Amino acid sequence: MNDRLYIVVPCYNEEEVLPETARRLKEKMTALMGAGKIAPDSRVLLVNDGSKDRTWELICSLHGEDGLFSGLDLTRNRGHQNALLAGLMTARERADMVISMDADLQDDIDAVDEMVDKYREGCDIVYGVRSSRKTDTFFKRFTAEGFYRLMNFLGANVVFNHADYRLMSRRALDGLAQFKEVNLFLRGIVPMIGYRTDTVEYERGERFAGESKYPLKKMLSFAMEGITSLSTKPIRYITTLGFLIFMVSIVMIVYNVARWCTGNTVTGWASLACSLWAIGGLILLALGVIGEYIGKIYLETKGRPRFLIREVLEDRDEKVD
Ligand code: UDP
Ligand code: MG
């Protein structure tokens, strides 16, 4: 029996691209089924993220025409990450492997074959990584790559140039389900799950039709979300800054004592300048320490799993299944 594949596609106002996306997905799924790589009851799950256009009507008619297409309708627009999670969690109960991709055909559908092959070789998570950003504008490329570097610098472990195009096995999704956080940044959480992972390279094309649903403002808040939901390192930098500024005041005290010894002093200046730096440094240091505790509370409230078990080896008297 082959494994069942679900392809999850979040859609927000995608009426222009959906018919073409559905056509290509159907082609791909039929080919995979024909080659015997996936089960015949595999599905494409289209998630409607509170679209204001005819997206849901389109999904309904696709479902009516062909049982390959399933649909999921969210009550209102909850954003890409939440729509994706809704799809993944629904597919988890029905599938053995799930691939998430965008509706706009920017993710090369042909990479699906390689992902499925890697899954069959035993990988639990396969990341789609874009090989180049030729089709992006200079601005998008510059900001996006800068963002990945900043994320890694701030201690958030993200896969370079990987968006949300990936395959996850059912047990990897079970792992993901244990991350209860509300501020969702899937790209940062998925690498925390573990298991055997691999990457597949693909060329990211241009949006097939319609407009990007990620204008600069949304992109910035997404980046901010990514950093603050994964890392408390910024707080650590405040502590370091406070310490450095306090050090400056020590250097100033030494400098002023030396000046006093040589008789070169301006009355009142030394004490004022030194205490300014000392107090500033101490306040920042104190804020940093308080921040450390708040950071700890923050991470605790996320209630992330402390470990996930891949396998248990154990002898038993009676066979339990
Ligand atoms: N999307 C969504 N909800 C939103 C915004 C976007 O489900 O609030 C979906 C959208 O339909 C698409 C995917 O997320 O399938 C990626 O969006 P888009 O292609 O506009 O982003 P970009 O590729 O420009 O970064
Ligand atoms: Mg896109």
Side-chain angles (χ1 to χ4, degrees):
M1 184 64 198
N2 280 314
D3 286 336
R4 199 184 297 156
L5 166 71
Y6 263 61
I7 297 188
V8 172
V9 186
C11 311
Y12 176 59
N13 295 345
E14 298 287 9
E15 63 178 6
E16 283 165 89
V17 288
L18 211 50
E20 178 65 14
T21 309
R23 194 186 63 74
R24 292 204 204 168
L25 281 173
K26 183 174 173 179
E27 219 174 79
K28 179 56 65 190
M29 294 291 267
T30 321
L32 281 169
M33 287 175 199
K37 286 188 177 175
I38 57 170
D41 53 352
S42 297
R43 295 273 180 275
V44 173
L45 179 62
L46 302 165
V47 183
N48 175 37
D49 184 18
S51 302
K52 294 180 182 65
D53 63 0
R54 291 184 50 255
T55 301
W56 181 241
E57 281 80 6
L58 277 175
I59 295 176
C60 290
S61 74
L62 279 169
H63 172 69
E65 284 163 24
D66 191 336
L68 174 71
F69 297 100
S70 314
L72 195 68
D73 192 20
L74 301 191
T75 51
R76 67 181 180 94
N77 181 247
R78 296 297 293 124
H80 176 215
Q81 298 286 294
N82 288 312
L84 191 53
L85 186 74
L88 292 178
M89 290 301 116
T90 309
R92 171 170 78 105
E93 290 145 21
R94 298 163 168 82
D96 300 297
M97 56 180 140
V98 178
I99 293 179
S100 49
M101 67 160 67
D102 289 353
D104 57 4
L105 296 171
Q106 282 193 289
D107 304 326
D108 179 14
I109 289 187
D110 290 327
V112 165
D113 300 70
E114 234 180 297
M115 287 186 180
V116 173
D117 288 343
K118 296 245 155 117
Y119 167 82
R120 287 158 67 93
E121 284 163 21
C123 288
D124 279 274
I125 303 174
V126 186
Y127 298 101
V129 175
R130 44 163 71 189
S131 49
S132 72
R133 282 183 175 268
K134 272 194 287 233
T135 53
D136 277 350
T137 57
F138 171 77
F139 179 73
K140 176 101 185 181
R141 189 162 64 213
F142 183 75
T143 48
E145 292 192 344
F147 170 63
Y148 288 109
R149 296 218 167 83
L150 183 69
M151 291 288 286
N152 280 319
F153 174 71
L154 289 176
N157 182 13
V158 288
V159 180
F160 198 71
N161 267 347
H162 157 71
D164 283 304
Y165 187 25
R166 74 177 85 81
L167 177 144
M168 293 176 79
S169 69
R170 173 189 272 190
R171 61 176 185 173
L173 286 169
D174 287 342
L176 177 66
Q178 292 194 42
F179 287 78
K180 303 283 182 208
E181 49 207 89
V182 176
N183 297 304
L184 198 62
F185 190 75
L186 285 170
R187 269 170 241 187
I189 303 174
V190 175
M192 288 185 202
I193 298 172
Y195 290 122
R196 198 174 133 194
T197 64
D198 208 336
T199 54
V200 165
E201 287 211 347
Y202 72 99
E203 290 245 347
R204 191 157 158 105
E206 290 191 40
R207 188 172 242 285
F208 180 73
E211 282 176 359
S212 169
K213 312 293 181 290
Y214 267 106
L216 184 64
K217 200 170 137 235
K218 259 199 198 171
M219 235 160 63
L220 283 178
S221 74
F222 186 55
M224 200 62 194
E225 177 84 24
I227 292 166
T228 53
S229 77
L230 287 174
S231 161
T232 52
K233 263 202 182 174
I235 296 174
R236 181 89 22 104
Y237 292 133
I238 294 180
T239 319
T240 316
L241 190 69
F243 182 73
L244 287 178
I245 290 181
F246 186 66
M247 281 296 132
V248 171
S249 78
I250 304 278
V251 171
M252 284 184 89
I253 291 172
V254 173
Y255 170 73
N256 280 311
V257 169
R259 297 257 305 195
W260 181 74
C261 292
T262 52
N264 278 326
T265 46
V266 184
T267 325
W269 180 82
S271 53
L272 268 182
C274 290
S275 45
L276 203 71
W277 284 85
I279 290 172
L282 285 176
I283 289 177
L284 269 185
L285 204 62
L287 274 181
V289 172
I290 295 171
E292 287 283 330
Y293 285 98
I294 295 179
K296 289 264 179 326
I297 298 170
Y298 178 60
L299 291 178
E300 289 287 342
T301 54
K302 284 182 183 280
R304 285 177 177 162
R306 274 164 289 186
F307 52 82
L308 295 168
I309 295 168
R310 191 202 313 264
E311 209 174 337
V312 184
L313 278 187
E314 182 186 37
D315 283 335
R316 289 215 163 197
D317 292 342
E318 77 270 42
K319 187 148 174 52
V320 186
D321 211 326

